[in-house]
Amino acid sequence: MRIVADIFTAVRLVFAAFIVYAGLQYGVQAFGAVAGVFLLGWTLDTLDGHLARADTKRSPSWLGSHEREVDAVMVVAGFVYLTLIGIVPAWLSIGYLALATLLLIRFRSKAVLTLLEAPLVLLMVATAFVLEPLWGWLYVAWGLGALLLDWRRARVRLGILWEDAQRLRERLAKGNTEGTEEL
């Protein structure tokens, strides 16, 4: 099961490369394909998590240990695509990514990473509603379906983020900005 989970994670890196390539090569005309690949990438993310957790006998592989970084690459690829097609001005994209990088280097927190990623993911959904509304509705349906089918895991993830945010808040109150939980 771990091998399949790792393959799903690796495929998401290929998807991220495709998303940027599509922006460079085809621009806004590729939005439908990009939206589909983006949604398929998040589906593989959900599946690889289930497969990895089901394999209790082995420790995570290198790729499995860096799965969160692969998630971030997918999110950034979508943001870069939106920049390449003119939805996001280049100066804003560069500034946001530079600020995000500095914040992550300084705080090394899953809560900070999630807060930085959320607007980028939501921007892709909002863009879908403008450019190809069917994809916007598919994103919403997918999100609701994932939440309904896996609400326990969603609660666990929210709990982890909440705890990480609390630890970060405590460290900031003490003037310590060293990381809370490893990304």
Side-chain angles (χ1 to χ4, degrees), residues 12-13 16-17 20 42 68-78 117:
R12 290 196 342 267
L13 286 173
V20 173
W42 294 124
R68 190 67 178 99
E69 288 87 347
V70 173
D71 291 350
V73 169
M74 277 281 298
V75 170
V76 169
E117 286 177 332

Side-chain angles (χ1 to χ4, degrees), residues 24 60-61 74 76 93 100 106 119 124 133-134 147 166 178:
L24 289 167
S61 65
M74 277 281 298
V76 169
S93 182
R106 179 138 178 124
M124 180 63 89
L134 176 61
L147 187 60
Q166 295 296 62
E178 294 298 316

Side-chain angles (χ1 to χ4, degrees), residues 28 31-32 81-82 85 87 125-135:
V28 73
F31 185 81
Y81 174 79
L82 295 176
I85 67 170
I87 299 294
V125 175
T127 301
F129 274 110
V130 172
L131 296 180
E132 294 194 29
L134 176 61
W135 281 110

Side-chain angles (χ1 to χ4, degrees), residues 39-74:
L39 191 59
L40 182 56
W42 294 124
T43 302
L44 291 177
D45 178 42
T46 300
L47 293 173
D48 78 27
H50 286 289
L51 291 171
R53 285 186 296 279
D55 188 1
T56 58
K57 295 179 184 174
R58 297 175 56 192
S59 61
S61 65
W62 183 89
L63 196 54
S65 297
H66 292 84
E67 195 267 342
R68 190 67 178 99
E69 288 87 347
V70 173
D71 291 350
V73 169
M74 277 281 298

